[in-house]
Amino acid sequence: MNDVRELLGRAAEHAGQPVISTEVVYARAARVRWRRRATVAAAAFAVVTAGAVTVPGLASQTKQEQNASVGASAGPAGHSGRAKQLVKLLPKGVGSVEQVSLAVIIKHATAAQAKEHPVGPLDGQYSVRRDGGVGYLVIGTMDAKSVIKKLGGFEPAADICKPTNGEPRPADCVREELPDGRILTIWSDAMNYDGTPRWGSELVARLTLKDGGLLAVRDSTGFTSDRSQGPLLKSTPLTRAQLRALMLSPELLTKK
């Protein structure tokens, strides 16, 4: 479905509202999409909202102050090691990978305002530069307790390839029940909607864990706006097969 696109796209439209935590963003995104698409995928998308948080003080900042706050760096200080760990899991030829903050890039947030609280060892947002374009990999994890707390009665194991209430089926949606009891679902999203920024097409993957937790990854060709880091990639950073391999990498869930 299309809900992931809104969490890192539409949520950026709320700049200037009161500060909210990542946890509240999870709930807000779930509510918004729940209203628009009933039951299909709130949980699939809430886990990848880290870069779309509403940050404090932006409404009162001048344009000059906002620009100054992002002038130094678009990436979290001291997190180059996480990007290096991710690169080890990616196939050769993917491109240049750097950990970034989409809150900083899109919302003019300062590093302090965009501070994140990752659950998984490689949770975060990563730019992928290749052939002159810039796409993104966004990784997010939610434990079972948080799924229950933030997403209410949503069933993590629900088959989002067969949505209820007459909603459209996600494009190219494939659900795979793994031998160990986990469920991997991958689908594509054309991102053909109006908004700022305007996101390019992407692949989305959700892994439902045996304990009810969730792992999700956005595999995006990027976005266009006055804050773009570069043109859209011609194709997603990872192919569907490569995305599947990444989703099944134990390093995304296990801290060394």
Side-chain angles (χ1 to χ4, degrees):
M1 286 300 291
N2 300 320
D3 300 69
V4 167
R5 71 189 187 192
E6 185 156 305
L7 299 183
L8 290 173
R10 293 286 192 185
E13 298 174 2
H14 297 290
Q17 294 185 2
V19 59
I20 57 177
S21 67
T22 301
E23 287 76 10
V24 175
V25 173
Y26 292 150
R28 171 181 288 179
R31 288 196 300 270
V32 170
R33 303 310 298 166
W34 197 279
R35 288 196 299 268
R36 295 182 60 182
R37 284 186 174 82
T39 62
V40 181
F45 320 107
V47 294
V48 289
T49 60
V53 295
T54 299
V55 293
L58 296 185
S60 60
Q61 285 183 317
T62 65
K63 185 69 174 180
Q64 290 78 9
E65 288 172 331
Q66 292 176 352
N67 289 340
S69 72
V70 298
S73 173
H79 286 281
S80 60
R82 197 180 300 177
K84 291 179 180 178
Q85 291 299 314
L86 177 60
V87 167
K88 294 179 180 179
L89 305 178
L90 301 178
K92 294 181 180 180
V94 167
S96 176
V97 179
E98 178 186 6
Q99 187 174 2
V100 298
S101 168
L102 289 170
V104 170
I105 296 170
I106 296 173
K107 299 178 66 61
H108 313 287
T110 65
Q113 290 170 330
K115 185 177 181 180
E116 300 168 12
H117 302 280
V119 175
L122 295 181
D123 283 5
Q125 303 115 50
Y126 303 86
S127 65
V128 180
R129 297 179 180 272
R130 183 175 69 211
D131 300 329
V134 182
Y136 297 91
L137 291 172
V138 182
I139 302 172
T141 309
M142 184 183 291
D143 60 35
K145 184 179 295 185
S146 296
V147 170
I148 295 173
K149 179 180 178 181
K150 299 165 188 174
L151 301 176
F154 184 82
E155 173 52 55
D159 186 355
I160 61 175
C161 291
K162 297 179 180 179
T164 58
N165 298 332
E167 296 183 8
R169 182 180 186 273
D172 305 316
C173 189
V174 177
R175 172 187 167 95
E176 182 179 357
E177 296 186 7
L178 303 173
D180 62 4
R182 297 179 299 170
I183 300 173
L184 176 62
T185 308
I186 301 177
W187 65 98
S188 60
D189 193 330
M191 303 294 283
N192 51 353
Y193 72 101
D194 293 326
T196 302
R198 184 72 179 264
W199 286 91
S201 60
E202 62 185 45
L203 291 171
V204 189
R206 187 187 81 175
L207 182 66
T208 301
L209 307 178
K210 291 184 292 184
D211 65 359
L214 293 172
L215 167 68
V217 173
R218 283 185 66 188
D219 180 20
S220 171
T221 54
F223 68 89
T224 57
S225 77
D226 59 354
R227 301 300 302 173
S228 296
Q229 294 184 299
L232 299 178
L233 292 181
K234 295 180 180 179
S235 59
T236 54
L238 301 179
T239 66
R240 180 177 286 257
Q242 291 168 343
L243 178 58
R244 180 184 183 279
L246 177 63
M247 293 297 293
L248 299 181
S249 299
E251 290 86 350
L252 293 189
L253 297 172
T254 304
K255 295 183 179 181
K256 294 184 177 180

